[in-house]
Amino acid sequence: MVHQIFVLLAALSCCFCCGTLAIENKDQHLRDLPCPPAEDIQPCVCTVIDSSTYDIEMDCSSVTTNDELASIFSKDFPYNGFFSLVIENNYDLTIIRQGDFGQKTFQQIHITSGSLQTVENNAFNSSYDTLREIDVENTNLFYFPFHELNLFTQLYRLDLQNNQLHGSPELTSLSLGYIYLTENPIDGIILNSLPLLDNIYLQSTSITLLPPGTFTDLPNLDYIHLGYNGLQVLEAGTINLQTSFNNVYLYNNDLTSIAEGALVGLKGGNLDVRYNQLTELAEAVFRPLMDDSVYVFASGNPLDCGCEIAWLVTSDTYMNLLDDDASCTSGQLVSELDPAMFDVIC
Ligand SMILES: *[C@@H]1O[C@H](CO)[C@@H](O)[C@H](O)[C@H]1NC(C)=O
């Protein structure tokens, strides 16, 4: 009896798998349609990722050589326009050469985690008018053709974080909104015309000095992340924003001084200078910011807390714009200082 039930159950579950298989096959067939024949592109795998727009993705994570990649994309496909190219966890591919993608175009390129070192000049040139996102992240990227950026007319997001990029990349683009260069040993950045630039991520680089003018004339910029760098001073004219409710992160640097006029235009936003070497929150620098409702995070600095901080301590308005953990060298919290004492002795 038990045996019979078991057989019955087995038969039933087999039926279930037959049903599932049949459905999957039907889907598979639908998915195949705008894609090139699977055998022409293996080990790349093509899928329709959006059945209403027929967006197709090529996943080439399993290619083993650059020639293999190039030979796949040199074939004639029913359509040349791909939505995305994905290469993930590939530790064989070290270079993308010019001409490797033939006439094929992409809207997004995602090459993440792997051994890629070089994107040659012109390597993505078939996609000058289509690429919206370039994401080459967590590889060993050493060379990227930054001088071509202005030719990518739709490019909105450039994410090259956690690589080996060095020097001082120079960027120009009428379309870029988001730039990620976090965790690269770059020692500078030159931002030319970037009218749509909204967010820039530059934490954990080798930047120790920002020349005046680095973050100026960027009308849409409202988020600058410079945490975990080796900045020691901020000179006048370094950051001048034109947006509102913006955020500037300078935490975990070695800042000993911020010049008057170094940080301008942070209306109603947040300024984070935690964990630096600032001994004062100079009135000339911080008062104009607080007058524009900027909230200042200043804990982790060895503040002197003498009369030079009276302007702050004696005003509830300003104190409400300072984080509660900001403290003096003595360890005393700025928020616990007695304003009456400052009124009398300063
Ligand atoms: C892209 O570069 C190749 C050289 O690798 C060149 O033959 C082709 O004309 C270029 N295409 C565009 C659109 O610039």
Side-chain angles (χ1 to χ4, degrees):
M1 180 60 183
V2 170
H3 178 73
Q4 275 166 347
I5 288 175
F6 183 76
V7 171
L8 183 66
L9 278 177
L12 271 176
S13 61
C14 179
C15 244
F16 270 120
C17 43
C18 299
T20 318
L21 266 185
I23 291 164
E24 269 176 8
N25 274 339
K26 193 161 156 260
D27 271 359
Q28 195 71 45
H29 186 66
L30 283 176
R31 271 206 290 274
D32 278 341
L33 247 183
C35 283
E39 60 274 19
D40 285 2
I41 57 169
Q42 62 189 357
C44 296
V45 175
C46 176
T47 12
V48 179
I49 53 173
D50 183 332
S51 55
S52 61
T53 56
Y54 300 99
D55 282 343
I56 43 188
E57 174 174 290
M58 277 287 255
D59 186 328
C60 293
S61 301
S62 301
V63 293
T64 50
T65 64
N66 167 267
D67 284 342
E68 185 175 43
L69 188 70
S71 95
I72 290 165
F73 284 101
S74 67
K75 293 179 183 163
D76 280 333
F77 292 165
Y79 300 97
N80 281 336
F82 291 86
F83 179 74
S84 54
L85 170 73
V86 171
I87 301 179
E88 266 173 9
N89 294 312
N90 181 310
Y91 293 88
D92 295 318
L93 205 60
T94 55
I95 182 169
I96 307 267
R97 296 167 308 190
Q98 61 171 4
D100 279 355
F101 295 126
Q103 306 294 308
K104 313 301 184 280
T105 68
F106 305 100
Q107 294 177 45
Q108 301 189 356
I109 290 178
H110 300 283
I111 303 176
T112 52
S113 300
S115 300
L116 188 66
Q117 291 169 8
T118 308
V119 172
E120 267 193 359
N121 293 345
N122 298 320
F124 296 156
N125 76 355
S126 54
S127 299
Y128 277 160
D129 294 325
T130 56
L131 265 178
R132 298 180 52 79
E133 281 189 41
I134 296 177
D135 181 11
V136 180
E137 191 188 323
N138 192 23
T139 68
N140 283 324
L141 194 65
F142 188 81
Y143 182 80
F144 182 86
F146 285 105
H147 63 276
E148 275 176 60
L149 278 182
N150 61 333
L151 300 172
F152 292 93
T153 56
Q154 309 293 318
L155 189 65
Y156 190 60
R157 193 170 182 277
L158 178 67
D159 186 345
L160 303 176
Q161 63 181 297
N162 199 359
N163 280 302
Q164 296 302 324
L165 297 167
H166 54 282
S168 191
E170 183 166 349
L171 295 86
T172 307
S173 165
L174 297 182
S175 59
L176 263 183
Y178 290 79
I179 298 173
Y180 300 77
L181 286 167
T182 305
E183 291 188 70
N184 278 283
I186 54 171
D187 51 29
I189 182 92
I190 300 169
L191 302 172
N192 293 329
S193 179
L194 288 153
L196 297 188
L197 182 61
D198 196 311
N199 287 24
I200 186 159
Y201 295 80
L202 292 165
Q203 61 270 46
S204 301
T205 69
S206 301
I207 295 175
T208 55
L209 195 70
L210 292 167
T214 303
F215 299 102
T216 60
D217 302 310
L218 298 161
N220 209 36
L221 185 61
D222 69 6
Y223 190 105
I224 305 178
H225 204 318
L226 284 161
Y228 294 99
N229 287 302
L231 295 171
Q232 294 172 3
V233 296
L234 220 52
E235 293 174 43
T238 304
I239 295 177
N240 188 344
L241 301 181
Q242 296 163 41
T243 50
S244 294
F245 307 109
N246 31 41
N247 294 289
V248 175
Y249 296 99
L250 287 160
Y251 59 77
N252 290 82
N253 278 276
D254 298 316
L255 288 171
T256 53
S257 81
I258 297 178
E260 187 178 345
L263 288 164
V264 175
L266 285 72
K267 288 173 286 294
N270 296 294
L271 170 65
D272 190 336
V273 291
R274 287 175 302 153
Y275 307 105
N276 278 288
Q277 300 302 323
L278 297 173
T279 53
E280 63 168 341
L281 296 175
E283 181 172 0
V285 177
F286 289 91
R287 188 169 183 159
L289 294 173
M290 288 184 166
D291 283 337
D292 279 336
S293 305
V294 175
Y295 193 92
V296 176
F297 294 84
S299 56
N301 284 284
L303 300 176
D304 280 340
C305 298
C307 279
E308 75 287 338
I309 209 173
W311 70 272
L312 177 58
V313 178
T314 55
S315 156
D316 284 347
T317 313
Y318 295 142
M319 283 305 291
N320 284 334
L321 289 166
L322 181 74
D323 69 319
D324 292 338
D325 297 332
S327 58
C328 312
T329 349
S330 64
Q332 186 166 21
L333 294 176
V334 177
S335 60
E336 287 174 347
L337 296 172
D338 177 10
M341 181 191 80
F342 284 83
D343 275 338
V344 173
I345 63 170
C346 294

